Amino acid sequence: KPAGSDGPLSLLRRGYPDSKALSRHRLQGRWAPVAMDDGIAELDPEQRQKLALFREVTADARGELSSAQLMQSCNWNVEQALTLHWASGDEAAMAAAAAGGGSAGSSAAGSGLGTPLLGNTTPATGGSAPNRTAASGGGSYSALGGTFFGWVARGIRQVSSSVFGLICAFIFGPGGPRLGTGPSSGAVFGRALTDAYGSSLLLPTFFEGSFTQALSAARRDLKLLVVFLHSEHARHSQNFCTQVLGNEFIRTMLDESFILWGGDVARLETHRVSQMIRARQYPCLCILLPASVDEIRVIHTVHGEVQPDAAVALLTACLDEMEQHRAEILARREQHAEDRSLREQQDREYQEALEMDRKRMEQQKLLEQEEREAREREEEERRKEEERLRKLEEQARELSKRREKLAEQLEEEGPDCTARLSMRLPQGARVQRKFRPSATLAEVYTWAECVPYLPDNVGKGIEIPEKFTLKTTFPSRDLLEMDQTVEALQLNGAMILIAAVEEDDED
């Protein structure tokens, strides 16, 4: 006993979770007080991580303070703490069974075909466990376990298991020779059980695949799903595998009438399944009814020490109850199929309506596009016409300015201007002017072009085409020799006409 330590009673007051932990540390030859008065605030990060792992694996079966006390009593060895926790659970279950003539850890729904898997209703405990009470002396098996010597014996077994675990960890690496590293369920899991409990052991066929796939298969085949949760640390695991799962009649029932999915709780998927079905003790056998995609019911659950006869009775009752509700499940499936067919028909009609709306919208858009293009064409034509008119106006202004300038530059009639020419305008009016006999035809064209801007003709509304040609009346001929003189062309006293020249005529 270290100096300053109190004693057994003081240790119990200061944090040891139960007398089993006290006996275990007594067997190790030392008193290890657990000082939890300051809570868990002083735990280092590694201890907090181990504490979180322990609470996750045990599904928070203990409070945080109780878990920390148990971990500290095991020197923060997670494997030893788990072994001690599960052993404590086994003893508590046996004590409850002996005190009340209770069950071997079976639970079922109070009425109907089970309760929702994730519901808030706690399954009622019922049924009896045969061969649990002692035959003589009015005592019970658990009563013996509650004595001090029983605690010492189980403490020795736990210490031996821990030493064996350390040896396995040294030889096989961390975790020791655990079940296979493959999938949670299937042939690999079955071989791991036969390797652990005897190669001659014949087990039922475990479903190959995940838990979700097993649910889908059970729902498709209208079968119940049996979930087997195994723990190599639980005290009844070997008996359950060899006596219950290895029973020929039970094996036949499971293979023919059920879908069996199993796994080791050390696996992540199996651990999550155990949390979902609220397993508190192992081994655990849970019968589920996947009523629909959104509804999973718990029919029955047994755990701990289970006798073959009780397992047979349980499976038979589940089959009978399943037969009574098969018609309901079939009717629900047909209803779901009808609802799905109706939804598909409605979806098709909806898609057809959407397609019609889409085509109508496309036609509307096409019509709007055609109208928009027509407006754009009209706008373009109007713009071009405006541009043409603007150019004509600009050309007319430039022509007017040029002709005004020519009129200003035109020489006055002099004494030498003896050749008189008369010109009939397109409006019918006549104008005349005298030219020198040596004047060229180009000078006559210049005079004809600026006639409206001469002082004698301003305001008379005379218009001269932009492009024109001069011709004689009789004989009619075009005057095109610009370098010829008036005398050479014999225009003295002649009447000439002015004719507009169109674009095509010009070309």
Side-chain angles (χ1 to χ4, degrees):
K1 173 180 177 182
S5 61
D6 296 328
L9 297 179
S10 176
L11 289 177
L12 289 175
R13 288 194 300 269
R14 294 180 59 183
Y16 268 89
D18 49 34
S19 57
K20 172 184 284 192
L22 179 62
S23 302
R24 181 175 177 278
H25 282 268
R26 181 183 297 173
L27 289 174
Q28 294 179 351
R30 67 180 185 274
W31 296 105
V34 183
M36 300 300 294
D37 295 338
D38 296 330
I40 61 172
E42 298 181 357
L43 298 181
D44 56 37
E46 182 179 2
Q47 292 174 343
R48 291 178 179 273
Q49 183 178 4
K50 291 182 178 181
L51 178 61
L53 176 61
F54 173 81
R55 299 196 67 197
E56 180 181 1
V57 173
T58 58
D60 295 337
R62 294 173 177 265
E64 187 176 24
L65 182 59
S66 176
S67 300
Q69 292 171 347
L70 180 58
M71 287 292 295
Q72 186 171 357
S73 68
C74 296
N75 294 327
W76 297 97
N77 187 310
V78 179
E79 183 178 358
Q80 293 180 6
L82 289 174
T83 303
L84 184 60
H85 166 75
W86 285 323
S88 301
D90 292 344
E91 299 302 331
M94 288 190 299
S103 68
S106 66
S107 61
S111 61
L113 198 63
T115 56
L117 181 60
L118 301 179
N120 296 325
T121 304
T122 303
T125 301
S128 61
N131 302 327
R132 295 300 304 270
T133 57
S136 60
S140 67
Y141 178 79
S142 61
L144 177 61
T147 62
F148 175 80
F149 295 101
W151 288 112
V152 172
R154 279 179 292 279
I156 294 175
R157 180 172 61 85
Q158 298 296 335
V159 172
S160 301
S161 175
S162 300
V163 173
F164 177 76
L166 293 176
I167 296 174
C168 290
F170 178 78
I171 296 176
F172 299 100
R178 307 178 70 83
L179 293 176
T181 58
S184 298
S185 182
V188 176
F189 177 65
R191 285 195 300 270
L193 293 180
T194 56
D195 292 342
Y197 303 122
S199 58
S200 61
L201 180 63
L202 297 179
L203 296 173
T205 302
F206 290 96
F207 179 82
E208 290 284 354
S210 64
F211 178 72
T212 304
Q213 293 172 342
L215 285 174
S216 300
R219 183 167 51 250
R220 180 188 64 248
D221 299 340
L222 287 179
K223 290 185 178 181
L224 295 175
L225 176 62
V226 178
V227 178
F228 169 56
L229 303 179
H230 173 77
S231 172
E232 60 183 358
H233 299 289
R235 59 176 298 178
H236 299 297
S237 293
Q238 181 174 359
N239 291 337
F240 193 91
C241 293
T242 56
Q243 297 180 12
V244 178
L245 296 181
N247 185 279
E248 180 179 1
F249 185 71
I250 295 177
R251 183 173 67 251
T252 303
M253 290 183 65
L254 292 175
D255 289 340
E256 295 180 355
S257 305
F258 297 88
I259 291 181
L260 176 62
W261 186 91
D264 191 336
V265 292
R267 300 288 176 264
L268 179 60
E269 182 183 21
T270 310
H271 172 62
R272 290 175 176 173
V273 173
S274 68
Q275 288 183 321
M276 183 175 62
I277 65 177
R278 298 182 180 89
R280 292 294 184 267
Q281 189 177 354
Y282 306 102
C284 177
L285 195 70
C286 182
I287 296 90
L288 303 179
L289 170 63
S292 64
V293 177
D294 302 325
E295 181 182 1
I296 302 173
R297 302 179 186 178
V298 178
I299 307 303
H300 287 283
T301 302
V302 292
H303 48 73
E305 183 180 5
V306 180
Q307 300 299 326
D309 293 341
V312 170
L314 175 64
L315 295 177
T316 303
C318 290
L319 285 178
D320 294 341
E321 197 167 359
M322 179 64 181
E323 288 298 328
Q324 297 176 5
H325 293 78
R326 188 181 300 274
E328 174 188 350
I329 297 175
L330 288 174
R332 180 181 299 179
R333 177 175 295 184
E334 292 178 357
Q335 184 64 38
H336 288 171
E338 293 178 359
D339 294 342
R340 182 170 59 254
S341 176
L342 179 60
R343 287 195 300 269
E344 291 175 355
Q345 180 181 358
Q346 293 175 346
D347 291 341
R348 286 194 301 269
E349 294 176 353
Y350 177 69
Q351 292 299 329
E352 292 175 356
L354 287 180
E355 183 66 17
M356 294 177 61
D357 292 341
R358 185 185 65 81
K359 292 182 178 180
R360 186 165 52 251
M361 291 296 294
E362 289 180 354
Q363 294 177 355
Q364 182 68 20
K365 290 181 179 179
L366 182 60
L367 181 60
E368 292 177 355
Q369 183 177 359
E370 293 177 353
E371 294 177 353
R372 183 170 60 254
E373 292 177 353
R375 289 194 299 270
E376 291 177 354
R377 286 193 299 268
E378 294 177 357
E379 182 67 21
E380 181 68 15
E381 293 176 358
R382 185 185 62 80
R383 187 187 63 78
K384 290 181 178 180
E385 181 65 19
E386 291 177 353
E387 183 68 15
R388 188 184 67 83
L389 294 176
R390 186 186 63 78
K391 289 182 179 180
L392 291 177
E393 292 176 357
E394 184 68 21
Q395 292 175 358
R397 285 193 296 271
E398 292 179 356
L399 180 63
S400 177
K401 290 179 180 180
R402 184 172 62 83
R403 289 178 174 178
E404 287 179 0
K405 188 175 182 181
L406 290 175
E408 293 174 358
Q409 296 175 355
L410 188 65
E411 295 179 357
E412 296 290 338
E413 298 179 358
D416 55 346
C417 298
T418 59
R420 183 184 297 276
L421 275 76
S422 296
M423 182 176 64
R424 189 169 60 186
L425 302 175
Q427 295 84 5
R430 293 183 182 184
V431 293
Q432 61 182 3
R433 181 180 174 82
K434 293 180 179 180
F435 292 89
R436 295 187 307 273
S438 60
T440 62
L441 184 61
E443 295 178 7
V444 177
Y445 268 86
T446 302
W447 166 69
E449 189 173 1
C450 65
V451 162
Y453 301 98
L454 295 175
D456 295 340
N457 299 325
V458 174
K460 293 183 179 181
I462 298 175
E463 293 182 0
I464 302 298
E466 181 181 357
K467 295 180 181 180
F468 61 90
T469 185
L470 299 177
K471 60 178 59 177
T472 60
T473 58
F474 184 82
S476 179
R477 61 188 176 91
D478 293 337
L479 301 174
L480 301 175
E481 298 85 354
M482 296 297 177
D483 55 347
Q484 293 291 326
T485 63
V486 172
E487 184 180 4
L489 293 173
Q490 298 178 359
L491 297 179
N492 185 14
M495 174 67 71
I496 60 176
L497 302 176
I498 181 169
V501 178
E502 301 294 337
E503 296 291 338
D504 295 338
D505 297 340
E506 182 183 5
D507 296 339

